[in-house]
Amino acid sequence: MRNAPTILHLDMDAFYASAEQASKPSLRGKAVIVGGLGPRGVVATASYEARVFGVRSAMPMAQARRLAPNAAYLVPRFGFYRAISEQVMGLLHALSPLVEPLSLDEAFVDLEAGEAAWDEPSARLVGEKLRADIRAFTGLTGSVGLAASKMLAKIASEEAKPDGLVVIEPGTERAMLGPMPVRTLPGVGPATGDHLRRAGITTVDDIAEAGEDELVRLLGKAHGQALYAMALAHDERPVVAERETKSVSVEDTYDVDIHDRLRVGLEVRRLADRCVRRLREAGLSGRTIVLKVRRYDFSTLTRSETLRGPTDDPAVVREAAARLLDAVDTTGGVRLLGVGVSGLADYTQEDLFAQAAGEGTDAEHLGEEGHEEPLEERAAVVERRWPAGHDVRHADFGHGWVQGSGLGRVTVRFETPWSEPGRVRTFRVDDPDLVAADPLPLVTERPQAPADGAQDQASASSVPASLPKWRSGSGGGEAASRP
């Protein structure tokens, strides 16, 4: 472990929900819950206002509705969140070449490797500037933890939430960790926590006092030794800039079990196309096609087939997934389907195209520019579905977002990130003047990076010019305030 707090952990505050609040003035300061809205949906993120009612991530959406019946429930806009994440990750890469993303809203940074910080004062200065830059560039807030190891930096960012910064100075780790509950340590989930509690171990100090031998007896050698080391604040894991992707997969859980075998086949085909799109976006191909089927009784079956070489051809993946499905009994219904590709490589083997039903690319799945058109998007055009929270534009009323739909009607609130809370209007779902729209930027004017020499090394390097740009949108005004 280092002798300076130069490992930084950033965690965006209630990311999806905060992005929705910043995008929708009428939701600021109110309970917002983002996730799957069907009977089997789960909460992806809950705003801090919703957490007051006990709503948490990964909670069944039905339980969240019981706890917070008056909250705003929205379908995720992952493209929108990804665009914001790219801006934030660009700020992190300006600090150091060693950035380890954990998700869209979370990452570790090795400040020492980027020569951005070398002691407590310089690290604190970098952390404060990063928080200010995130607010200026995205309109959102993030919490920052700084420590001499990854474990401690993550714990520090949790202590900093929301919208704060905590630095754990070397030499203070044991005193800080001691009174914390055992669940604070990585790898201690509910089952391990209960097992330790039954043994009279409830705090990190209790773990250290129990000793390594007792922990090995209780939890096994690997887990016991690792937990004892963490209780002593020992963590030698480096920040890893590139994580090797081992597989690419997609899956869907259905609100109602699917019994029709033809429908199951069509869903597998659709999932295969989505999986291939992710492969191509990552510049990857793979040899092993995997099918996952969860049946009506919650039993889960996984089947796989390994090809002669790697491919990113949608027809090949569709055909392989269909062959795997032929070997699965779906009698009684299916509640979840997934398609994945593993054995990844950064090249394809052209002769695998002959494994598909026809040579070349299936023309019916291509758009005008030769890119695959998502099957679900083509279906949405026909069915005119309006997901709650998604952006729309009306020929007369301008930009807005869907508050809800049903019974042939869709309710829209017309507002932008920079406007006052807008008015609500209701239309027929097939109103020709109402169309889906791209999200608008949360900040209309991007701040300028400082001129060369305007800041010292301790305050981090300037924001890179390569940060992703938003699509241009109508409207103007001041940057959105913190939700």
Side-chain angles (χ1 to χ4, degrees):
M1 194 165 66
R2 305 170 185 223
N3 58 6
T6 55
I7 300 295
L8 181 149
H9 181 261
L10 170 70
D11 197 349
M12 299 294 288
D13 299 323
F15 182 45
Y16 298 170
S18 293
E20 296 296 348
Q21 288 176 316
S23 177
K24 302 170 173 64
S26 58
L27 297 184
R28 293 172 191 168
K30 298 181 180 178
V32 173
I33 299 170
V34 180
L37 303 189
R40 293 175 181 165
V42 297
V43 175
T45 306
S47 70
Y48 287 99
E49 295 86 354
R51 296 179 191 187
V52 171
F53 299 99
V55 180
R56 295 291 184 269
S57 298
M59 174 183 287
M61 190 61 76
Q63 182 181 356
R65 289 186 183 276
R66 290 193 295 270
L67 293 172
N70 297 319
Y73 288 86
L74 307 177
V75 175
R77 297 185 292 165
F78 289 112
F80 177 53
Y81 310 144
R82 192 173 295 111
I84 299 173
S85 175
E86 288 174 358
Q87 290 183 299
V88 173
M89 295 302 165
L91 292 168
L92 299 183
H93 280 286
L95 298 175
S96 172
L98 288 183
V99 177
E100 183 178 339
L102 304 180
S103 62
L104 289 178
D105 60 343
E106 185 180 4
F108 287 109
V109 184
D110 187 329
L111 299 178
E112 191 173 27
E115 299 184 352
W118 49 89
D119 57 11
E120 190 273 335
S122 62
R124 184 181 295 274
L125 188 60
V126 169
E128 293 289 6
K129 183 178 185 305
L130 174 63
R131 293 175 57 235
D133 284 344
I134 289 172
R135 185 190 296 269
F137 275 80
T138 71
L140 303 180
T141 64
S143 295
V144 171
L146 289 154
S149 71
K150 290 168 68 172
M151 178 190 77
L152 293 168
K154 183 172 176 61
I155 291 173
S157 70
E158 287 295 322
E159 293 294 304
K161 282 184 168 293
D163 190 21
L165 181 146
V166 168
V167 180
I168 300 176
E169 298 184 30
T172 68
E173 298 95 345
R174 290 286 303 277
M176 182 273 300
L177 280 176
M180 291 185 169
V182 294
R183 290 288 302 276
T184 301
L185 299 179
V188 181
T192 301
D194 287 344
H195 192 51
L196 292 171
R197 180 181 53 78
R198 289 193 293 270
I201 298 173
T202 59
T203 68
V204 177
D205 266 344
D206 292 338
I207 293 176
E209 291 172 5
E212 185 176 28
D213 291 343
E214 176 66 7
L215 289 168
V216 168
R217 187 186 69 80
L218 289 170
L219 304 174
K221 184 175 182 180
H223 199 181
Q225 289 178 341
L227 196 59
Y228 181 68
M230 287 189 290
L232 299 181
H234 295 163
D235 178 19
E236 301 297 333
R237 295 173 301 158
V239 175
V240 180
E242 296 293 335
R243 287 174 167 264
E244 181 182 356
T245 302
K246 296 184 178 179
S247 65
V248 174
S249 63
V250 296
E251 62 182 43
D252 277 344
T253 301
Y254 303 99
D255 294 342
V256 179
D257 291 347
I258 303 175
H259 294 83
D260 183 355
R261 182 75 178 191
L262 177 60
R263 167 83 187 284
V264 172
L266 290 174
E267 288 295 317
V268 168
R269 180 185 179 96
R270 181 177 64 83
L271 290 166
D273 286 345
R274 281 174 54 193
C275 185
V276 169
R277 285 198 302 278
R278 290 193 178 183
L279 271 180
R280 290 183 169 181
E281 288 170 359
L284 297 170
S285 59
R287 296 182 66 232
T288 301
I289 313 304
V290 181
L291 176 71
K292 178 180 177 181
V293 179
R294 181 166 297 149
R295 298 188 291 190
Y296 68 98
D297 58 357
F298 287 89
S299 62
T300 302
L301 303 176
T302 303
R303 300 288 183 267
S304 64
E305 175 182 321
T306 300
L307 307 173
R308 293 196 303 272
T311 184
D312 66 352
D313 180 52
V316 172
V317 178
R318 285 197 300 267
E319 186 181 83
R323 286 195 298 270
L324 294 170
L325 180 62
D326 287 341
V328 175
D329 180 12
T330 59
T331 304
V334 170
R335 61 186 292 119
L336 177 147
L337 289 168
V339 173
V341 177
S342 60
L344 301 182
D346 57 1
Y347 65 94
T348 61
Q349 186 168 311
E350 297 297 334
D351 65 357
L352 284 175
F353 291 175
Q355 295 186 31
E359 293 287 335
T361 307
D362 191 348
E364 76 178 83
H365 295 283
L366 298 180
E368 292 181 1
E369 297 180 0
H371 298 293
E372 289 184 322
E373 181 183 359
L375 293 178
E376 63 266 34
E377 290 183 9
R378 290 191 280 115
V381 172
V382 175
E383 298 174 15
R384 299 284 285 175
R385 293 180 297 175
W386 302 104
H390 282 225
D391 298 86
V392 294
R393 177 169 293 279
H394 192 275
D396 295 328
F397 302 108
H399 191 92
W401 56 277
V402 175
Q403 283 206 171
S405 62
L407 301 176
R409 302 285 177 180
V410 55
T411 299
V412 177
R413 184 181 289 273
F414 291 98
E415 59 186 6
T416 71
W418 337 288
S419 71
E420 296 296 321
R423 299 185 61 181
V424 174
R425 297 183 182 272
T426 300
F427 308 91
R428 299 192 318 273
V429 293
D430 59 353
D431 190 320
D433 290 332
L434 188 67
V435 296
D438 290 323
L440 296 177
L442 301 182
V443 176
T444 56
E445 293 184 6
R446 299 175 61 192
Q448 296 295 316
D452 291 343
Q455 57 181 351
D456 60 25
Q457 195 175 36
S459 63
S461 45
S462 62
V463 177
S466 59
L467 278 175
K469 294 188 172 83
W470 289 93
R471 296 176 183 270
S472 59
S474 62
E478 297 179 351
S481 61
R482 176 177 179 267

